[in-house]
Amino acid sequence: MSLVTACESMQAQQMTSRQGKVVYGESNGELTDQGYARTYDIYTPKSYSPSRPMPLVLVFHGDEGSGRSISNVSQFNTLAEQKGFLVAYPDGIDQRWSLRKTSKRNIDDVSFVKNFINHLEQVRNIDSRRIYATGFSRGGILTQALTCQLSDRIAAFASVAGSLPRRLKQTCQPQMPVSMLMINGTNDQSVHYQGDEKTQKGALVSIPEAVNFWRDHNQCPAYTAKNVAFVAGNQSDAPAGSRARRDRSKVKTYSYSGCSGGSEVVQLAVVDGGHLWYGGTSSDKDVNEFNKDLGLDSTQTIWNFFERHSLPFV
């Protein structure tokens, strides 16, 4: 078991919780796990009450990132305030995630996430049936890895610019059906849509192969597959030939429902899209222009997916 200590910075109105004081808005915390001090950011909406359990979304940053950076990019805090859920952003050690213990780092971040959830349940009143995980890039790869061991703790998963490690695919046997949303660009030069060479270190399977893996695990009937264009806002009413009508075909959606245990698998393929959190904030003008034309809000799409899923009563 890990030694867990809480230490939150107060940045908003204080209130009493099961462990003393908690805050509305942004705060940060710390816990000790596997001999390392681990830090995180957490957002608590004003609708939170210590007497009422609230859903929790875990968000994992990419390499060279941090909890704060993915918070700024994804803007999950704004949505959490609007919709009424907690959101936590843990920091990887040296800004990276480890999927298994190695001789150099001796860190297992899948195990850390399990302990992190236990820690958060001590400092917030969390709905244990509605805990969700999402991440970008390496954080999306970690999200995929979590399914193998934590399908009994996390109700649904969403990876952005991530895929399933080939090594894990061979041994991944989740205890329960896994609801998975994958958002990937077909021209991603970091997480290749067609996957990596099998001999490559840390090789990832192709996006279609990962989707088929989750479909098979969930026993999804093949006839539920859909290949439709994503429609943002009221673009369906746009006149023929307009930018809105042209751009809405840039995202192909493949949806597989009717799977075991009410699970579903959804893939959004951004045609010619690169390595980014679609719809997120950016200092790059080209990225902002691309996102504006695309009209895909990954954060809202992920929450819409999460809202449909919860763990069964035990």
Side-chain angles (χ1 to χ4, degrees), residues 208-224:
E209 186 177 348
V211 171
N212 287 335
F213 175 82
W214 298 122
R215 286 176 55 199
D216 291 343
H217 171 73
N218 294 336
Q219 300 177 326
C220 300
Y223 63 81
T224 61

Side-chain angles (χ1 to χ4, degrees), residues 14-281:
Q14 295 182 346
M15 59 190 294
T16 302
S17 77
R18 59 179 70 180
Q19 278 203 352
K21 293 180 177 179
V22 89
V23 304
Y24 295 112
E26 297 177 356
S27 60
N28 53 65
E30 182 177 307
L31 66 151
T32 301
D33 177 79
Q34 300 173 64
Y36 290 89
R38 305 300 299 258
T39 56
Y40 64 91
D41 285 359
I42 186 169
Y43 187 86
T44 306
K46 293 183 177 65
S47 57
Y48 173 79
S49 170
S51 63
R52 186 177 65 252
M54 181 170 273
L56 167 68
V57 175
L58 304 174
V59 185
F60 303 99
H61 62 77
D63 280 351
E64 308 304 324
S66 66
R68 181 58 54 88
S69 69
I70 193 62
S71 169
N72 292 337
V73 169
S74 68
Q75 294 292 294
F76 255 111
N77 291 354
T78 300
L79 192 60
E81 187 63 51
Q82 295 172 357
K83 299 297 184 179
F85 60 89
L86 298 157
V87 57
Y89 311 88
D91 297 311
I93 294 178
D94 298 329
Q95 299 180 293
R96 288 182 55 85
W97 300 110
S98 297
L99 305 186
R100 58 177 177 174
K101 288 189 176 183
T102 65
S103 57
K104 182 179 179 181
R105 291 162 57 86
N106 199 35
I107 302 167
D108 179 355
D109 276 323
V110 173
S111 177
F112 159 69
V113 173
K114 181 178 181 179
N115 293 328
F116 183 48
I117 292 172
N118 292 339
H119 164 70
L120 292 176
E121 289 179 329
Q122 294 178 18
V123 299
R124 295 292 187 277
N125 191 353
I126 294 170
D127 185 343
S128 60
R129 298 180 62 238
R130 301 188 65 197
I131 299 174
Y132 308 102
T134 185
F136 171 71
S137 189
R138 183 71 172 178
I141 296 169
L142 172 62
T143 298
Q144 296 261 339
L146 294 174
T147 61
C148 303
Q149 297 183 37
L150 297 183
S151 63
D152 61 331
R153 299 295 307 276
I154 298 175
F157 305 80
S159 66
V160 180
S163 187
L164 182 67
R166 186 168 297 280
R167 175 186 57 82
L168 283 180
K169 179 178 179 251
Q170 300 172 358
T171 59
C172 184
Q173 296 180 327
Q175 296 182 29
M176 304 174 66
V178 171
S179 288
M180 174 66 73
L181 166 66
M182 296 181 63
I183 304 176
N184 295 85
T186 63
N187 194 35
D188 190 330
Q189 298 302 303
S190 297
V191 175
H192 302 126
Y193 194 85
Q194 296 304 327
D196 301 319
E197 294 291 336
K198 294 182 179 180
T199 57
Q200 179 179 320
K201 182 179 180 181
L204 302 175
V205 304
S206 72
I207 305 309
E209 186 177 348
V211 171
N212 287 335
F213 175 82
W214 298 122
R215 286 176 55 199
D216 291 343
H217 171 73
N218 294 336
Q219 300 177 326
C220 300
Y223 63 81
T224 61
K226 300 176 183 177
N227 181 355
V228 299
F230 170 82
V231 179
N234 294 318
Q235 291 184 354
S236 58
D237 298 325
S242 69
R243 167 178 284 189
R245 184 169 288 268
R246 290 198 311 270
D247 286 345
R248 62 181 176 162
S249 65
K250 286 184 177 179
V251 181
K252 303 295 184 180
T253 301
Y254 303 85
S255 179
Y256 305 89
S257 57
C259 312
S260 61
S263 61
E264 65 175 326
V265 179
V266 177
Q267 178 203 353
L268 272 60
V270 181
V271 179
D272 294 328
H275 194 71
L276 68 152
W277 186 281
Y278 298 101
T281 61

